[in-house]
Amino acid sequence: MSDPPHAPFGPDTAVDENRLEELIIEAQTALPFEMPDLAKRCASALGLETALIYLVDLQQRLLIPLDEALEPLPVDGSLAGWAYRTVSPRVAEADDGLIVWMPLVDGAERLGVLEVRTASLDGIRMRRSQILAHLFAMLTTSKRGYSDWLAARTRTATMQLPAEMLRAFLPPHTIGSSKCVSTAVLEPAYEIAGDAFDHSVVKNVLHTMILDAMGHDLTAGLTTSVAMAAARNARRGGGDPADVVSSVDRALAQWVPDQFCTGVLCRLDADTGVLHWVNCGHPPPLLIRAERVLAGALDSPPQPPIGLAGPLAPAARKVHETTLEPGDCVLLYTDGVVEARDADGAEFGLDRFTDFIIRSNAAGQRPAEVLRLLIHAILDYQRNRLRDDVTILLFEWRPQLR
């Protein structure tokens, strides 16, 4: 008598490759709202009891279950949140066995956590829990680009139209290679309009950009959206930093005349540490080395904002160059960061801003976690009522640590 074709396999038996193939094929074609049930069946097939998917919300305060019958978990103050914050598994006892909290990660981007329940835990079950987390991280990444349900599930407030438009252009918050990582945050999460960030890895080169458009309305969002599209178009066509900025200048002058934005564009060679940057009317980038800010290291003569036309348009953009040292961090930010004020009118300030980054780095926090904590500190400082958009992008070059 042959074995049943869909019998689950236990942790001490060989993997049923046919059943595993069936599950992977089903996962590829499953609709996003079917993922909670699929996770449970995949867990059962791997000899585990069940699995639940939690995705982080836009502000990284809550882990929201895809199972709509369950309640969110806090990122701060929960075992699930600990796994998310540290990107490492966490095991806890439960009434009927054990819970394994596995981080859901797409490359360098933290997506959420997977809750795996099992009667007992050994090396095989732990490995299969990790496999399950890898699978559902990939599924989440592939499906959230077209799923309104997944997008809505991770929101805790109504998204304003300018923010909706701008977020459609934003890349993942964190990207990286074996030698560098770039991560960014922006607030107010549901009302952002004039600020934006962009980053991309092309072979051994990290491209980063931060923008701050004039105004705080739909036109401001349109300005930064056009700017990002023009920058990507030029970058993907092989343009150097000067070409990219010139392309954005022309696009804004043509499509949104009388609008402009400030910005900084950087290009880091991750093999050599050579950094090129262009600053267009924006606060200068900050270089952090050996737990201190190198004052003025990335300052440059002022250049006009992006998008000025006619006699105000610059003849050519000046590209600056320096060489980073292993472990260096570069901070790009908009002026809303340092201009945030408390109830007494005191500014958050540049010193407080950089000190927070340095102390968090020294404590061993990952770059993405550093910025998550920082943006919450800024929101708390201003009682969650920001007077201006706040965007921060941090990239670091650590070839010797990878």
Side-chain angles (χ1 to χ4, degrees):
M1 179 181 297
S2 61
D3 292 332
H6 300 302
F9 46 85
D12 299 319
T13 63
V15 172
D16 183 339
E17 292 184 356
N18 291 333
R19 179 56 175 153
L20 188 59
E21 181 183 19
E22 290 176 4
L23 288 169
I24 293 174
I25 291 173
E26 182 179 353
Q28 290 176 332
T29 57
L31 295 173
F33 81 93
E34 296 173 323
M35 287 171 60
D37 179 66
L38 178 64
K40 294 175 182 178
R41 290 190 288 114
C42 285
S44 177
L46 286 168
L48 306 166
E49 291 187 4
T50 190
L52 299 170
I53 304 165
Y54 289 78
L55 299 183
V56 73
D57 78 307
L58 284 181
Q59 295 180 296
Q60 299 184 83
R61 293 187 183 275
L62 297 173
L63 291 164
I64 300 177
L66 292 193
D67 186 335
E68 295 175 319
L70 301 178
E71 293 297 319
L73 301 172
V75 170
D76 294 301
S78 70
L79 292 178
W82 189 94
Y84 174 82
R85 298 191 310 271
T86 62
V87 194
S88 55
R90 184 74 171 178
V91 180
E93 293 184 356
D95 293 338
D96 52 352
L98 297 171
I99 298 175
V100 183
W101 295 103
M102 298 296 304
L104 294 175
V105 181
D106 175 37
E109 173 84 335
R110 301 181 298 180
L111 306 175
V113 295
L114 184 71
E115 177 190 352
V116 179
R117 289 182 177 265
T118 179
S120 59
L121 189 63
D122 55 18
I124 293 176
R125 288 184 175 89
M126 192 67 172
R127 186 164 60 251
R128 291 181 179 177
S129 298
Q130 291 173 328
I131 291 171
L132 203 58
H134 291 321
L135 172 62
F136 280 94
M138 289 188 290
L139 286 175
T140 299
T141 300
S142 68
K143 297 178 187 298
R144 67 177 177 174
Y146 64 82
S147 172
D148 288 344
W149 180 76
L150 279 176
R153 190 74 188 125
T154 54
R155 296 180 181 182
T156 59
T158 301
M159 182 75 69
Q160 300 300 308
L161 181 57
E164 190 75 67
M165 178 180 65
L166 192 57
R167 283 193 174 277
F169 280 86
L170 294 179
H173 283 275
T174 307
I175 64 170
S177 69
S178 60
K179 299 177 180 178
C180 59
V181 64
S182 176
T183 185
V185 290
L186 74 174
E187 286 282 354
Y190 298 93
E191 299 174 6
I192 197 82
D195 281 14
F197 69 88
D198 196 15
H199 45 201
S200 174
V201 175
V202 181
K203 294 184 177 178
N204 65 324
V205 175
L206 171 67
H207 299 270
T208 61
M209 181 173 66
I210 195 166
L211 298 167
D212 185 356
M214 176 182 65
H216 190 84
D217 53 17
L218 190 62
T219 303
L222 179 61
T223 300
T224 48
S225 297
V226 171
M228 281 194 290
R232 289 172 182 172
N233 183 255
R235 194 172 65 221
R236 293 165 183 173
D240 61 23
D243 296 329
V244 172
V245 177
S246 295
S247 178
V248 179
D249 273 324
R250 292 192 299 270
L252 293 184
Q254 178 180 359
W255 298 108
V256 279
D258 302 323
Q259 295 294 314
F260 63 87
C261 60
T262 66
V264 176
L265 180 147
C266 299
R267 181 187 188 275
L268 172 65
D269 187 316
D271 288 337
T272 65
V274 173
L275 173 69
H276 293 91
W277 80 97
V278 183
N279 188 341
C280 304
H282 201 80
L286 300 175
L287 176 59
I288 298 177
R289 177 177 295 163
E291 299 183 13
R292 68 185 184 92
V293 177
L294 297 189
L298 301 181
D299 287 358
S300 57
Q303 298 189 63
I306 309 171
L308 298 180
L312 297 177
R317 294 293 187 176
K318 176 65 176 175
V319 180
H320 303 276
E321 178 181 330
T322 191
T323 299
L324 301 184
E325 295 183 2
D328 280 356
C329 296
V330 177
L331 271 172
L332 311 181
Y333 63 97
T334 58
D335 53 15
V337 173
V338 296
E339 293 175 0
R341 296 179 182 272
D342 66 10
D344 298 323
E347 287 189 347
F348 192 82
L350 189 60
D351 289 342
R352 193 192 309 266
F353 170 52
T354 54
D355 183 63
F356 193 103
I357 296 285
I358 290 169
R359 286 188 292 104
S360 298
N361 270 337
Q365 301 282 7
R366 293 170 177 264
E369 182 63 11
V370 171
L371 291 199
R372 186 188 77 88
L373 294 170
L374 174 58
I375 199 71
H376 291 171
I378 293 172
L379 285 167
D380 292 343
Y381 189 81
Q382 205 162 337
R383 304 170 309 285
N384 289 318
R385 293 192 298 271
L386 295 176
R387 302 179 185 184
D388 194 6
D389 294 346
V390 171
T391 302
I392 311 165
L393 186 147
L394 166 70
F395 64 89
E396 63 175 357
W397 186 54
R398 295 185 178 273
Q400 84 285 9
L401 300 180
R402 305 303 182 190

